[in-house]
Coordinates of all heavy atoms in Angstrom, one line a residue:
M344 N -12.8 -13.0 -3.7 CA -12.6 -11.6 -3.8 C -13.4 -11.1 -5.0 O -13.5 -11.7 -6.0 CB -11.1 -11.4 -4.1 CG -10.7 -10.0 -4.4 SD -8.9 -9.8 -4.4 CE -8.5 -10.4 -6.0
T345 N -14.1 -10.0 -4.7 CA -14.8 -9.3 -5.8 C -14.3 -7.9 -6.0 O -14.0 -7.2 -5.0 CB -16.3 -9.2 -5.4 OG1 -16.8 -10.6 -5.3 CG2 -17.2 -8.5 -6.4
L346 N -14.1 -7.5 -7.2 CA -13.6 -6.1 -7.5 C -14.8 -5.4 -8.2 O -15.4 -5.8 -9.1 CB -12.5 -6.2 -8.5 CG -11.3 -7.0 -8.1 CD1 -10.3 -7.1 -9.2 CD2 -10.7 -6.5 -6.8
K347 N -15.0 -4.2 -7.6 CA -16.1 -3.3 -8.1 C -15.5 -2.0 -8.6 O -14.6 -1.4 -8.0 CB -17.1 -3.0 -7.1 CG -17.9 -4.2 -6.7 CD -19.0 -3.9 -5.7 CE -19.8 -5.1 -5.3 NZ -20.9 -4.7 -4.3
T348 N -16.0 -1.6 -9.8 CA -15.6 -0.3 -10.4 C -16.8 0.6 -10.3 O -17.8 0.2 -10.9 CB -15.1 -0.4 -11.8 OG1 -14.0 -1.4 -11.8 CG2 -14.6 0.9 -12.4
N349 N -16.7 1.7 -9.6 CA -17.8 2.6 -9.4 C -19.0 1.9 -8.9 O -20.2 2.1 -9.3 CB -18.1 3.4 -10.7 CG -17.0 4.3 -11.2 OD1 -16.2 4.8 -10.3 ND2 -16.8 4.4 -12.4
G350 N -18.8 1.0 -8.0 CA -19.9 0.3 -7.3 C -20.5 -0.9 -8.0 O -21.4 -1.6 -7.5
V351 N -19.9 -1.3 -9.2 CA -20.5 -2.4 -9.9 C -19.4 -3.4 -10.3 O -18.3 -3.0 -10.7 CB -21.1 -1.9 -11.3 CG1 -21.6 -3.0 -12.1 CG2 -22.2 -0.9 -11.0
A352 N -19.7 -4.7 -10.0 CA -18.7 -5.7 -10.4 C -18.9 -6.1 -11.8 O -20.1 -6.5 -12.2 CB -18.9 -7.0 -9.5
K353 N -17.9 -6.0 -12.6 CA -18.0 -6.4 -14.0 C -18.0 -7.9 -14.2 O -17.5 -8.6 -13.3 CB -16.9 -5.8 -14.8 CG -17.0 -4.3 -14.9 CD -15.9 -3.7 -15.7 CE -16.0 -2.2 -15.7 NZ -14.9 -1.6 -16.5
P354 N -18.5 -8.5 -15.3 CA -18.4 -9.9 -15.4 C -17.0 -10.5 -15.3 O -16.1 -9.9 -15.8 CB -18.9 -10.1 -16.9 CG -19.8 -8.9 -17.2 CD -19.1 -7.8 -16.4
G355 N -16.9 -11.6 -14.5 CA -15.6 -12.2 -14.3 C -14.8 -11.6 -13.1 O -13.7 -12.1 -12.8
K356 N -15.3 -10.6 -12.5 CA -14.7 -9.9 -11.4 C -15.3 -10.3 -10.0 O -15.0 -9.6 -9.0 CB -14.6 -8.4 -11.6 CG -13.9 -8.0 -12.8 CD -12.5 -8.4 -12.9 CE -11.8 -7.9 -14.2 NZ -10.5 -8.4 -14.3
E357 N -16.2 -11.3 -10.0 CA -16.8 -11.7 -8.8 C -16.3 -13.1 -8.3 O -16.0 -13.9 -9.2 CB -18.3 -11.8 -9.0 CG -19.0 -10.5 -9.3 CD -20.4 -10.6 -9.5 OE1 -20.8 -11.3 -10.5 OE2 -21.2 -10.0 -8.8
N358 N -16.2 -13.3 -7.1 CA -15.7 -14.5 -6.5 C -14.4 -15.0 -7.1 O -14.3 -16.2 -7.4 CB -16.8 -15.6 -6.6 CG -18.1 -15.2 -5.9 OD1 -18.0 -14.7 -4.8 ND2 -19.2 -15.4 -6.6
M359 N -13.5 -14.1 -7.3 CA -12.2 -14.5 -7.9 C -11.2 -15.0 -6.8 O -11.4 -14.7 -5.6 CB -11.5 -13.2 -8.4 CG -12.3 -12.5 -9.5 SD -11.6 -10.8 -9.9 CE -9.9 -11.1 -9.9
D360 N -10.3 -15.8 -7.2 CA -9.2 -16.2 -6.3 C -8.3 -15.0 -6.0 O -8.2 -14.0 -6.8 CB -8.3 -17.3 -6.9 CG -9.1 -18.6 -7.0 OD1 -10.0 -18.8 -6.3 OD2 -8.7 -19.4 -7.9
F361 N -7.7 -15.0 -4.8 CA -6.8 -13.8 -4.4 C -5.7 -13.7 -5.4 O -5.1 -14.7 -5.8 CB -6.3 -14.1 -3.0 CG -5.3 -13.0 -2.6 CD1 -5.7 -11.8 -2.3 CD2 -3.9 -13.3 -2.6 CE1 -4.8 -10.8 -1.9 CE2 -3.0 -12.3 -2.2 CZ -3.4 -11.1 -1.9
D362 N -5.4 -12.5 -5.8 CA -4.3 -12.2 -6.7 C -3.6 -10.9 -6.2 O -4.1 -9.8 -6.2 CB -4.8 -11.9 -8.1 CG -3.7 -11.6 -9.1 OD1 -2.6 -11.5 -8.7 OD2 -4.0 -11.5 -10.3
P363 N -2.4 -11.1 -5.7 CA -1.6 -10.0 -5.1 C -1.1 -8.9 -6.1 O -0.6 -7.9 -5.8 CB -0.5 -10.6 -4.3 CG -0.2 -11.9 -5.1 CD -1.6 -12.3 -5.6
D364 N -1.3 -9.3 -7.4 CA -0.7 -8.4 -8.5 C -1.8 -7.7 -9.3 O -1.7 -7.5 -10.5 CB 0.2 -9.2 -9.4 CG 1.4 -9.8 -8.7 OD1 1.9 -9.0 -7.8 OD2 1.8 -10.9 -8.9
I365 N -2.9 -7.4 -8.7 CA -4.1 -6.7 -9.4 C -3.6 -5.3 -9.8 O -3.0 -4.6 -9.0 CB -5.3 -6.6 -8.4 CG1 -5.9 -8.0 -8.1 CG2 -6.4 -5.7 -9.0 CD1 -6.6 -8.7 -9.2
L366 N -4.0 -4.9 -11.0 CA -3.7 -3.6 -11.5 C -5.1 -2.9 -11.8 O -6.0 -3.5 -12.3 CB -2.9 -3.6 -12.8 CG -1.5 -4.2 -12.7 CD1 -0.9 -4.2 -14.1 CD2 -0.6 -3.3 -11.8
F367 N -5.2 -1.7 -11.4 CA -6.4 -0.9 -11.7 C -6.0 0.2 -12.7 O -5.0 0.9 -12.6 CB -6.9 -0.2 -10.4 CG -7.3 -1.2 -9.4 CD1 -6.5 -1.5 -8.3 CD2 -8.6 -1.8 -9.5 CE1 -6.9 -2.4 -7.3 CE2 -9.0 -2.7 -8.5 CZ -8.2 -3.0 -7.4
R368 N -6.9 0.4 -13.7 CA -6.7 1.4 -14.7 C -7.7 2.6 -14.3 O -8.9 2.4 -14.3 CB -7.0 0.9 -16.1 CG -6.0 0.0 -16.5 CD -6.1 -0.4 -18.0 NE -5.1 -1.3 -18.3 CZ -5.2 -2.2 -19.3 NH1 -6.3 -2.2 -20.0 NH2 -4.2 -3.0 -19.5
V369 N -7.2 3.7 -13.9 CA -8.0 4.8 -13.5 C -8.2 5.7 -14.7 O -7.3 6.2 -15.3 CB -7.2 5.7 -12.4 CG1 -8.1 6.8 -12.0 CG2 -6.8 4.8 -11.3
T370 N -9.5 5.9 -15.1 CA -9.9 6.6 -16.3 C -10.1 8.1 -16.0 O -9.8 8.9 -16.8 CB -11.1 6.1 -16.9 OG1 -12.2 6.0 -15.9 CG2 -10.9 4.6 -17.4
D371 N -10.5 8.4 -14.8 CA -10.7 9.8 -14.4 C -10.8 9.9 -12.9 O -10.8 9.0 -12.2 CB -11.9 10.5 -15.1 CG -13.2 9.8 -14.8 OD1 -13.5 9.5 -13.6 OD2 -14.0 9.5 -15.7
K372 N -11.0 11.2 -12.4 CA -11.0 11.4 -11.0 C -12.3 10.9 -10.3 O -12.3 10.7 -9.1 CB -11.0 12.9 -10.7 CG -9.6 13.5 -11.0 CD -9.6 15.0 -10.6 CE -8.2 15.5 -10.8 NZ -8.0 16.8 -10.1
N373 N -13.3 10.6 -11.1 CA -14.5 10.0 -10.5 C -14.5 8.5 -10.4 O -15.5 7.9 -9.9 CB -15.7 10.5 -11.3 CG -15.9 12.0 -11.3 OD1 -15.8 12.6 -10.2 ND2 -16.1 12.6 -12.4
T374 N -13.5 7.9 -10.8 CA -13.4 6.4 -10.7 C -13.1 6.0 -9.3 O -12.3 6.5 -8.6 CB -12.2 5.9 -11.6 OG1 -12.5 6.3 -12.9 CG2 -12.1 4.4 -11.6
T375 N -13.8 5.0 -8.8 CA -13.6 4.3 -7.5 C -13.5 2.8 -7.7 O -14.1 2.3 -8.6 CB -14.7 4.6 -6.5 OG1 -15.9 4.1 -7.0 CG2 -14.9 6.1 -6.2
F376 N -12.7 2.2 -6.9 CA -12.5 0.8 -6.9 C -12.8 0.3 -5.5 O -12.3 0.8 -4.5 CB -11.1 0.3 -7.3 CG -10.7 0.7 -8.7 CD1 -9.9 1.8 -9.0 CD2 -11.2 0.0 -9.8 CE1 -9.6 2.2 -10.2 CE2 -10.9 0.4 -11.1 CZ -10.1 1.5 -11.3
T377 N -13.6 -0.8 -5.4 CA -13.8 -1.4 -4.1 C -13.4 -2.9 -4.2 O -13.8 -3.6 -5.2 CB -15.3 -1.3 -3.7 OG1 -15.7 0.1 -3.7 CG2 -15.6 -1.9 -2.4
I378 N -12.8 -3.3 -3.1 CA -12.4 -4.8 -3.0 C -13.2 -5.4 -1.9 O -13.1 -4.8 -0.8 CB -10.9 -4.9 -2.8 CG1 -10.1 -4.3 -4.0 CG2 -10.5 -6.4 -2.6 CD1 -8.6 -4.2 -3.7
E379 N -13.9 -6.4 -2.2 CA -14.7 -7.1 -1.2 C -14.1 -8.6 -1.0 O -13.7 -9.2 -2.0 CB -16.1 -7.3 -1.6 CG -16.8 -5.9 -1.6 CD -18.3 -6.1 -2.0 OE1 -18.8 -7.2 -2.3 OE2 -19.0 -5.1 -1.9
V380 N -14.0 -9.0 0.2 CA -13.6 -10.4 0.5 C -14.6 -11.0 1.3 O -15.0 -10.5 2.4 CB -12.2 -10.4 1.2 CG1 -11.8 -11.8 1.6 CG2 -11.1 -9.7 0.3
D381 N -15.1 -12.2 0.9 CA -16.2 -12.9 1.6 C -17.4 -12.0 1.9 O -18.0 -12.1 3.0 CB -15.6 -13.5 2.9 CG -14.6 -14.6 2.7 OD1 -14.6 -15.2 1.6 OD2 -13.7 -14.7 3.5
G382 N -17.7 -11.2 0.9 CA -18.9 -10.3 1.1 C -18.7 -9.1 1.9 O -19.6 -8.3 2.1
N383 N -17.5 -8.8 2.4 CA -17.2 -7.7 3.3 C -16.3 -6.7 2.5 O -15.2 -7.2 2.0 CB -16.6 -8.1 4.6 CG -17.5 -9.0 5.4 OD1 -18.6 -8.6 5.6 ND2 -17.0 -10.1 5.8
E384 N -16.6 -5.4 2.5 CA -15.7 -4.4 1.9 C -14.5 -4.3 2.7 O -14.5 -4.2 3.9 CB -16.4 -3.1 1.9 CG -15.7 -2.0 1.2 CD -16.4 -0.7 1.2 OE1 -17.6 -0.7 0.9 OE2 -15.8 0.3 1.4
V385 N -13.3 -4.5 2.0 CA -12.0 -4.4 2.6 C -11.4 -3.0 2.4 O -10.9 -2.4 3.4 CB -11.1 -5.5 2.1 CG1 -9.7 -5.3 2.6 CG2 -11.6 -6.9 2.3
V386 N -11.5 -2.5 1.2 CA -11.0 -1.2 0.9 C -11.7 -0.5 -0.3 O -12.1 -1.3 -1.2 CB -9.4 -1.3 0.6 CG1 -9.1 -2.0 -0.6 CG2 -8.8 0.1 0.6
T387 N -11.8 0.8 -0.3 CA -12.3 1.5 -1.4 C -11.3 2.6 -1.8 O -10.8 3.3 -0.9 CB -13.7 2.2 -1.1 OG1 -14.6 1.2 -0.9 CG2 -14.1 3.0 -2.3
L388 N -10.9 2.6 -3.0 CA -9.9 3.6 -3.5 C -10.7 4.6 -4.3 O -11.4 4.3 -5.2 CB -8.9 2.9 -4.4 CG -8.1 1.7 -3.7 CD1 -7.3 1.0 -4.8 CD2 -7.3 2.2 -2.6
N389 N -10.4 5.9 -4.1 CA -10.9 7.0 -4.9 C -9.8 7.9 -5.3 O -8.8 8.0 -4.6 CB -12.1 7.7 -4.3 CG -11.7 8.6 -3.2 OD1 -11.0 9.6 -3.4 ND2 -12.2 8.4 -2.0
F390 N -10.0 8.7 -6.3 CA -9.0 9.5 -6.9 C -9.4 11.0 -7.1 O -8.9 11.7 -7.9 CB -8.5 8.9 -8.2 CG -8.1 7.5 -8.0 CD1 -9.0 6.4 -8.2 CD2 -6.8 7.2 -7.7 CE1 -8.6 5.1 -8.0 CE2 -6.4 5.9 -7.5 CZ -7.3 4.8 -7.6
K391 N -10.3 11.4 -6.2 CA -10.9 12.7 -6.3 C -9.9 13.8 -6.2 O -10.0 14.9 -6.8 CB -12.0 12.9 -5.3 CG -13.2 12.1 -5.6 CD -14.3 12.2 -4.6 CE -15.4 11.3 -4.9 NZ -16.5 11.3 -3.9
K392 N -8.8 13.6 -5.4 CA -7.8 14.6 -5.2 C -6.5 14.4 -6.0 O -5.5 15.0 -5.8 CB -7.4 14.7 -3.7 CG -8.6 15.1 -2.8 CD -8.2 15.2 -1.4 CE -9.4 15.7 -0.5 NZ -9.0 15.8 0.9
A393 N -6.6 13.4 -6.9 CA -5.4 13.1 -7.7 C -5.2 14.1 -8.8 O -6.1 14.7 -9.3 CB -5.6 11.7 -8.4
T394 N -3.9 14.3 -9.2 CA -3.6 15.1 -10.3 C -3.0 14.2 -11.4 O -2.1 13.5 -11.2 CB -2.5 16.1 -9.9 OG1 -3.0 16.9 -8.8 CG2 -2.1 17.0 -11.1
F395 N -3.7 14.2 -12.5 CA -3.3 13.4 -13.6 C -2.4 14.2 -14.6 O -2.7 15.4 -14.9 CB -4.5 12.9 -14.4 CG -5.3 11.9 -13.6 CD1 -6.4 12.4 -12.9 CD2 -5.0 10.6 -13.6 CE1 -7.2 11.5 -12.1 CE2 -5.8 9.7 -12.9 CZ -6.8 10.1 -12.1
A396 N -1.2 13.7 -14.9 CA -0.3 14.4 -15.8 C -0.5 14.0 -17.2 O -0.9 13.0 -17.5 CB 1.1 14.2 -15.3

């Protein structure tokens, strides 16, 4: 599993073992997270329509 933030995998976030308890920290509405498994994109999360309180 590889986790990408805004299209880039940070060091240590590539070829990870599966973890069902992953937490994402959203810094602003332009943040996106992509999860890849075996080189295939599984899901991309974006927060463009989110309201931060």
Side-chain angles (χ1 to χ4, degrees):
M344 174 170 78
T345 298
L346 303 177
K347 293 183 178 181
T348 303
N349 297 328
V351 178
K353 294 182 180 178
K356 301 299 180 184
E357 297 179 298
N358 300 317
M359 302 169 41
D360 291 334
F361 176 74
D362 183 352
D364 296 320
I365 294 286
L366 295 176
F367 295 103
R368 292 188 180 153
V369 181
T370 56
D371 60 47
K372 290 184 175 195
N373 297 315
T374 302
T375 62
F376 296 104
T377 302
I378 301 172
E379 294 180 354
V380 177
D381 297 331
N383 298 309
E384 183 178 316
V385 176
V386 66
T387 295
L388 306 170
N389 76 60
F390 303 89
K391 291 178 183 175
K392 295 182 180 181
T394 301
F395 294 91

